[in-house]
Amino acid sequence: MTANTNLPFDLELAKTCSQAFSASTGIGCTVSDAQGVTLCEHGYGCASCELCGIAGKSRDKCINAHNYGMTAASRFGGRYIYFCPMGLTCFVSPIIGDTTDAAKITVGPFIMVDKQDYIDCELQENFSASPEALRQALVFLEKIPLISPEKVQELSILLFMSAGFMNHLSEESRFMTMARSDSLQKEISAYILQMKQQPSSFGYPFDMEKNLLQSLSHYDPRQTLLCLKNLLASLLTGSGGNLKWIKARLSELLVMISRTAIENGAPEGNAMLLLRRYRKASPSLDSFDSLSAWTVKLIGDFMEEYTRCAGTGHTAAINKCLQYLDVNYSRQISLESAAQQIGLTPAYLSRIFKKETGCSFNQYLNRIRITKARDLLRYSRMSLSDIAMHTGYNDQSYFTKVFQRITGMSPGNYRKKHSHMKK
């Protein structure tokens, strides 16, 4: 594959990092972009994996799993260990672009459990209908290394630190290029000139800030950048050219932008990246032109990613939430605990949950619990109070009320009518 010279990160540096990691650990290492396209591979990595093909499965599922791994790594501290659709283990660390993750380094596949256990469970399940395919899979499995869970944890930290070093080197030169953007400087200067021709006003421009955050909430990139440029011009004319004061106000503004974006569904890691990058670059931005050009470019790239993910990120978040409910329905879970698990605010999760599923969070949770209760009433001799506790209801009377509302009959009558247990 021909290298893309327009990539928003240093591909050659990523190749060097990947090659060194693979050579030193003996595990396959792959660099791929944010869409899952492989850019390079060292060792026996995911791009060379044959299990999906042998099982007759599309590689799209594998790519989706790796892309989700990158998203989860950004959300949970820069590294993430996960299983591919064939049950093999991988871990990943993101490569940072201008304002968001542009690519990833994926290590794997490898086996993290006892190899015979993997064969008896994962392989038998995927190849039960085809003995010949199972034989091919067993041959392929000899190429896959076996790594203990303890070592995997340490290796994932090592990859995270390697990727972090590479991201740091890339960042040093990027903001200097942004600061030399003549077109952006001219555009900001034009707004400053307009502001100077208007009657002077003192104090912080709260109305402009409010308009900026509203346009961000409405997923309007063009209006957001227009509001930002107006705000920058106002800050300059109102500060008397005090660059230190302007930087402090921009730092506060980026905190508010990050919070607004998170409340409206942006991944928390990506949103907070705005503030981290600004604080890192700020000391070297020694003029208003470089500061304004860099800030506009930062927000512009973030908005492009933010609006692109606004509609597509719902499905993954809701699927993760549904999995959380399916596993934890018997516990005392809430909208708040589920939102915390998937990295969204409760208000935003409530809104997109209703939009994606057609029912509220609590309605869906009750349906899961009552479905499980039906099975227990049919096939077990558990008492009603035990069934209530087992399905997440501390109060048997409340359980009875919910059950009757959903099924149209009481738990006792349902058991009499549908029980399959013989006396």
Side-chain angles (χ1 to χ4, degrees):
M1 179 180 293
T2 304
N4 184 353
T5 57
N6 295 320
L7 291 171
F9 68 97
D10 191 333
L11 178 58
E12 292 306 314
L13 192 59
K15 288 180 178 179
T16 301
C17 180
S18 172
Q19 183 177 19
F21 195 95
S22 178
S24 60
T25 63
I27 314 174
C29 201
T30 305
V31 178
S32 52
D33 65 18
Q35 286 70 48
V37 177
T38 300
L39 303 177
C40 72
E41 182 184 69
H42 296 95
Y44 205 88
C46 291
S48 301
C49 181
E50 302 170 19
L51 270 184
C52 288
I54 297 173
K57 295 185 178 182
S58 169
R59 278 193 59 82
D60 289 344
K61 290 185 177 181
C62 205
I63 291 173
N64 290 339
H66 296 317
N67 287 347
Y68 176 76
M70 180 177 76
T71 302
S74 298
R75 187 172 291 170
F76 301 121
R79 61 189 181 96
Y80 190 67
I81 303 169
Y82 59 99
F83 294 100
C84 77
M86 298 303 298
L88 297 171
T89 311
C90 300
F91 56 87
V92 64
S93 282
I95 300 173
I96 300 173
D98 292 336
T99 61
T100 188
D101 300 331
K104 58 185 175 293
I105 299 181
T106 304
V107 174
F110 54 88
I111 300 174
M112 194 171 63
V113 298
D114 181 80
K115 185 170 285 190
Q116 191 58 50
D117 286 345
Y118 175 79
I119 293 172
D120 292 342
C121 297
E122 298 291 344
L123 283 193
Q124 294 287 354
E125 179 180 340
N126 283 288
F127 297 97
S128 58
S130 175
E132 175 58 25
L134 177 59
R135 186 191 65 79
Q136 295 179 35
L138 290 172
V139 173
F140 161 75
L141 205 62
E142 295 304 315
K143 304 175 184 179
I144 303 297
L146 177 65
I147 312 292
S148 69
E150 295 78 15
K151 190 173 182 180
V152 170
Q153 288 287 346
E154 300 302 325
L155 288 173
S156 70
I157 294 173
L158 182 61
L159 178 68
F160 165 69
M161 296 179 70
S162 302
F165 173 76
M166 182 187 69
N167 291 332
H168 175 74
L169 290 181
S170 300
E171 181 71 11
E172 290 299 315
S173 61
R174 183 180 297 119
F175 74 84
M176 294 305 295
T177 302
M178 295 177 184
R180 291 194 293 266
S181 174
D182 292 336
S183 61
L184 284 172
Q185 291 180 17
K186 291 177 181 178
E187 197 170 355
I188 294 291
S189 297
Y191 281 102
I192 293 172
L193 181 60
Q194 290 179 13
M195 292 295 298
K196 287 182 176 180
Q197 292 172 351
Q198 297 175 1
S200 298
S201 58
F202 298 97
Y204 184 81
F206 288 103
D207 288 344
M208 291 184 179
E209 179 187 273
K210 181 179 179 181
N211 291 336
L212 172 64
L213 298 178
Q214 284 180 343
S215 61
L216 180 69
S217 299
H218 295 154
Y219 309 110
D220 189 340
R222 183 174 299 179
Q223 185 63 26
T224 297
L225 290 180
L226 176 62
C227 292
L228 177 64
K229 292 167 187 174
N230 277 324
L231 183 56
L232 287 171
S234 179
L235 290 177
L236 179 65
T237 56
S239 68
N242 186 332
L243 196 62
K244 184 177 180 180
W245 183 87
I246 295 174
K247 287 183 177 182
R249 301 292 79 73
L250 282 178
S251 180
E252 295 167 359
L253 178 64
L254 289 175
V255 171
M256 299 186 70
I257 288 175
S258 297
R259 288 176 179 170
T260 301
I262 292 169
E263 288 172 357
N264 286 277
E268 185 172 351
N270 290 1
M272 296 310 295
L273 196 61
L274 279 173
L275 188 59
R276 293 199 298 270
R277 292 196 168 180
Y278 174 75
R279 287 175 174 169
K280 183 178 178 181
S282 179
S284 300
L285 300 171
D286 55 3
S287 70
F288 179 76
D289 284 343
S290 63
L291 177 63
S292 59
W294 190 90
T295 304
V296 170
K297 179 68 165 62
L298 177 72
I299 300 297
D301 289 342
F302 171 73
M303 280 300 302
E304 181 178 345
E305 178 69 15
Y306 171 53
T307 52
R308 182 181 70 81
C309 294
T312 59
H314 291 176
T315 301
I318 294 302
N319 284 341
K320 188 175 181 182
C321 182
L322 298 184
Q323 291 174 6
Y324 174 74
L325 296 181
D326 286 340
V327 172
N328 297 281
Y329 68 90
S330 62
R331 302 179 181 180
Q332 296 303 304
I333 57 177
S334 63
L335 176 66
E336 288 72 20
S337 64
Q340 185 178 12
Q341 284 291 322
I342 61 178
L344 298 177
T345 63
Y348 185 73
L349 174 60
S350 177
R351 186 162 70 247
I352 66 170
F353 194 100
K354 182 69 176 288
K355 181 179 180 181
E356 294 289 327
T357 66
C359 63
S360 71
F361 177 89
N362 285 332
Q363 286 173 333
Y364 187 90
L365 177 58
N366 279 326
R367 289 176 186 175
I368 291 178
R369 287 172 166 171
I370 297 306
T371 298
K372 304 296 183 181
R374 283 173 171 174
D375 290 340
L376 293 173
L377 289 168
R378 285 177 176 176
Y379 301 108
S380 81
R381 293 192 178 92
M382 290 174 64
S383 67
L384 295 186
S385 60
D386 286 344
I387 290 176
M389 292 292 292
H390 188 77
T391 52
Y393 297 102
N394 289 333
D395 186 343
Q396 182 184 335
S397 62
Y398 180 68
F399 161 69
T400 300
K401 182 178 179 181
V402 174
F403 191 97
Q404 188 154 3
R405 185 176 71 239
I406 292 178
T407 66
M409 64 180 71
S410 69
N413 288 336
Y414 185 90
R415 168 169 273 173
K416 291 177 183 177
K417 182 175 181 180
H418 297 284
S419 178
H420 292 270
M421 298 298 293
K422 303 297 182 182
K423 294 185 179 179

